């Protein structure tokens, strides 16, 4: 069913619904129970820029479970090499080769096309999972430039437990609760590219403060 749903671009909303079910089953099967807290509810008929801290391979599944609005990921082209997941990822996401200026520019055009289709965008602004002893790396500007260019709200999400539950450290992790906090949206109406850095900092501060509230912040 997943393969059939990606045969046509216009069928993406159906793929998204199936992917959400798949993601929920994967997390349940791994012994993870999700707890999602929302400060504000998204409008299914609007587009948003979803951003979250990046800590684990399970971030992708948890984002699918937490967000009801159909969205496409913007991520590293290398992820397409992951067995099975990569097959779907390269056919349903916007891939970027950060070493190529042409590839980075193409992201804006592909994102614009998806937004015109009524979809949202999801970017992990750290760009990659940070070192094990760093809870939140600096954010890159791409997500915020895109949000400003298309005048769509930023929706920050904080993932509290993914690193603890399923770390990149071999033989670590355990079943348990995965908490998500969907924060109040940050409006971009009227902002220009000159506001990119300030928007970046504002979003990162929201997530950083929530990590501190959870009591897991180390660095």
């Amino acid at each position: 069913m997943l393969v059939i749903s990606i045969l046509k671009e216009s069928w993406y909303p159906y793929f998204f619904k199936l992917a959400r079910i798949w993601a929920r089953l994967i997390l349940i099967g791994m012994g993870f129970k999700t707890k999602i807290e929302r400060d504000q509810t998204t409008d299914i008929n609007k587009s948003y820029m979803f951003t979250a801290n990046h800590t684990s391979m399970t971030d992708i599944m948890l984002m699918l479970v937490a967000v009801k609005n159909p969205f496409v990921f913007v991520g590293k082209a290398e992820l397409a090499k992951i067995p099975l997941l990569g097959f779907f990822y390269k056919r349903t996401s916007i891939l970027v080769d950060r070493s190529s200026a042409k590839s980075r520019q193409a992201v804006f055009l592909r994102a614009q096309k998806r937004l015109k289709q009524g979809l949202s965008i999801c970017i992990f602004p750290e760009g990659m999972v940070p070192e094990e002893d760093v809870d939140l790396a600096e954010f890159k500007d791409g997500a915020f430039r895109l949000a400003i260019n298309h005048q769509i709200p930023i929706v920050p999400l904080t993932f509290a437990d993914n690193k603890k539950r399923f770390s990149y450290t071999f033989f670590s992790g355990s079943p348990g609760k995965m908490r998500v906090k969907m924060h109040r949206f940050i409006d971009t109406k009227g902002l220009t590219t000159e506001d990119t850095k300030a928007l970046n900092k504002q979003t990162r501060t929201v997530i950083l403060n929530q990590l501190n509230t959870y009591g897991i912040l180390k660095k």
Side-chain angles (χ1 to χ4, degrees):
M1 291 176 68
L2 282 169
V3 171
I4 292 172
S5 68
I6 63 174
L7 294 179
K8 288 186 178 181
E9 195 172 88
S10 60
W11 291 352
Y12 183 83
Y14 302 106
F15 166 81
F16 183 80
K17 290 180 180 179
L18 292 171
R20 293 192 74 222
I21 296 171
W22 166 82
R24 187 176 294 277
L25 291 175
I26 289 291
L27 293 180
I28 291 173
M30 295 174 74
F32 302 137
K33 182 179 180 181
T34 58
K35 181 181 179 182
I36 304 168
E37 180 185 353
R38 294 179 173 87
D39 285 345
Q40 194 169 347
T41 304
T42 56
D43 183 340
I44 200 68
N45 297 311
K46 291 185 178 180
S47 296
Y48 302 88
M49 173 64 72
F50 296 99
T51 62
N53 53 315
H54 201 9
T55 59
S56 166
M57 282 289 290
T58 58
D59 294 343
I60 293 174
M61 280 79 83
L62 190 58
M63 184 66 79
L64 286 167
V65 170
V67 176
K68 298 177 181 179
N69 294 63
F71 66 82
V72 293
F73 286 105
V74 175
K76 297 181 295 184
E78 305 94 273
L79 294 177
K81 299 177 183 178
I82 299 174
L84 188 59
L85 177 63
F87 173 81
F88 291 101
Y89 197 84
K90 66 183 177 182
R91 287 165 176 78
T92 59
S93 303
I94 300 173
L95 303 185
V96 56
D97 178 359
R98 292 194 178 89
S99 65
S100 168
K102 184 177 180 180
S103 177
R104 294 196 300 271
Q105 180 61 34
V107 168
F108 284 85
L109 298 176
R110 293 187 64 190
Q112 184 177 43
K113 180 181 178 181
R114 289 300 205 171
L115 289 168
K116 285 181 177 179
Q117 294 171 343
L119 301 176
S120 295
I121 304 293
C122 173
I123 298 179
F124 296 105
E126 290 167 277
M128 59 186 298
V129 176
E131 296 295 328
E132 194 70 21
D133 61 342
V134 178
D135 287 306
L136 192 66
E138 294 300 318
F139 284 1
K140 301 183 184 304
D141 289 333
F144 310 102
R145 283 199 300 269
L146 271 173
I148 289 173
N149 286 346
H150 297 289
Q151 297 287 280
I152 58 175
I154 299 280
V155 182
L157 294 97
T158 303
F159 295 164
D161 308 297
N162 293 21
K163 181 184 289 188
K164 178 181 178 181
R165 297 294 170 221
F166 197 80
S167 171
Y168 272 81
T169 301
F170 205 52
F171 285 135
S172 66
S174 64
K177 186 184 297 181
M178 280 185 164
R179 293 168 292 175
V180 182
K181 177 67 175 285
M182 181 181 287
H183 302 276
R184 296 196 68 81
F185 314 155
I186 301 175
D187 196 7
T188 61
K189 292 287 180 64
L191 298 184
T192 68
T193 52
E194 294 181 355
D195 300 303
T196 299
K197 292 292 184 184
L199 185 60
N200 179 329
K201 183 178 180 181
Q202 182 182 359
T203 306
R204 185 176 183 275
T205 298
V206 169
I207 295 174
L208 190 66
N209 288 343
Q210 186 61 39
L211 289 173
N212 190 49
T213 299
Y214 283 136
I216 60 174
L217 200 60
K218 299 190 296 293
K219 185 175 181 181

